[in-house]
Amino acid sequence: QALRQHLAWRREGLDLKVAVNVSARVLYDLRLPEQIARQLKILNVPASALELEITEDAIMIDPQRALDILSRLDAMRIKLSIDDFGTGYSSLGYLKRLPVDEVKIDRSFVNEMVGSRSDAAIVRATIDLAHNLGINVVAEGVETAEVLVMLDSLGCDTAQGYYISRPITADEILVWMSCSPFARQDFRDLRAATPLA
């Protein structure tokens, strides 16, 4: 369904990547890479159009098996993201070995970072760590302009949250793209990620 939506947007002139949350049960299915490869081929969608989001906790159920499967997906050039980063129990040793393109800092740290020195320090350290490993950073839970400005000053790559957009349906994305200042080509501070309802 996500790949078909990508095709529908492409027909409308929007070349948007789609992100799909992957549960632990699905992640550890050894057939997952082949199933995704088959759907990409059938629908003629490039692997770069797809991103898979996996939580830290899901990865830590069986880190070696997760590494094997994620490596196969990475070899297919599918973008991989660790969702809710900072809330699980993963070690930094695993983070450096995982073939991930992105970490998403959990909203529990981002929401209060303007008023909390400790949350701000965690966000700053996560951004620095990820960038030093060549990994992009998404801040989840951005609900105010102040948080967005602070994230920009820290060098965060992408912001996601109610300040940018409430979750919307796939059909509503065209309207959002036409009227949101975050969708403008000249908006350079942060790329804005809009979750679909």
Side-chain angles (χ1 to χ4, degrees):
Q1 187 176 357
L3 296 178
R4 287 191 184 97
Q5 184 58 61
H6 168 79
L7 290 174
W9 282 328
R10 209 163 65 188
R11 286 192 293 272
E12 296 287 339
L14 294 174
D15 190 15
L16 300 176
K17 179 175 60 177
V18 290
V20 177
N21 290 72
V22 176
S23 71
R25 183 176 59 83
V26 172
L27 174 63
Y28 290 104
D29 185 338
L30 294 174
R31 300 168 298 173
L32 179 64
E34 288 77 18
Q35 290 171 339
I36 292 174
R38 185 168 49 253
Q39 291 303 315
L40 290 169
K41 185 174 182 181
I42 288 169
L43 295 171
N44 193 28
V45 173
S48 60
L50 179 63
E51 178 177 301
L52 301 179
E53 296 185 6
I54 304 106
T55 64
E56 274 186 273
D57 289 341
I59 292 170
M60 295 312 295
I61 291 170
D62 184 345
Q64 187 55 52
R65 186 168 176 173
L67 177 61
D68 293 344
I69 292 170
L70 292 175
S71 295
R72 289 167 58 200
L73 293 165
D74 179 61
M76 295 165 55
R77 306 228 187 280
I78 292 171
K79 299 292 182 195
L80 302 170
S81 177
I82 300 179
D83 199 10
D84 301 333
F85 187 76
T87 61
Y89 298 98
S90 64
S91 78
L92 296 179
Y94 281 114
L95 180 60
K96 74 176 185 178
R97 293 175 49 209
L98 291 172
V100 296
D101 304 284
E102 175 181 278
V103 295
K104 299 181 79 171
I105 304 174
D106 188 73
R107 63 182 296 114
S108 62
F109 302 111
V110 175
N111 261 346
E112 304 298 324
M113 64 183 285
V114 171
S116 168
R117 291 178 63 155
S118 58
D119 283 350
I122 289 169
V123 171
R124 180 184 301 108
T126 303
I127 291 169
D128 290 345
L129 171 66
H131 285 170
N132 284 328
L133 292 172
I135 299 171
N136 285 335
V137 180
V138 176
E140 298 181 302
V142 177
E143 297 187 2
T144 66
E146 292 80 13
V147 169
L148 185 65
V149 168
M150 190 170 183
L151 287 166
D152 188 40
S153 73
L154 295 175
C156 188
D157 302 297
T158 305
Q160 176 180 323
Y162 287 175
Y163 180 70
I164 296 160
S165 175
R166 298 268 177 182
I168 57 178
T169 66
D171 292 337
E172 293 170 322
I173 195 77
L174 295 172
V175 174
W176 184 86
M177 292 289 290
S178 69
C179 66
S180 173
F182 297 106
R184 290 195 332 248
Q185 291 276 5
D186 61 342
F187 188 83
R188 294 286 179 240
D189 292 346
L190 287 172
R191 291 179 297 126
T194 303
L196 294 179

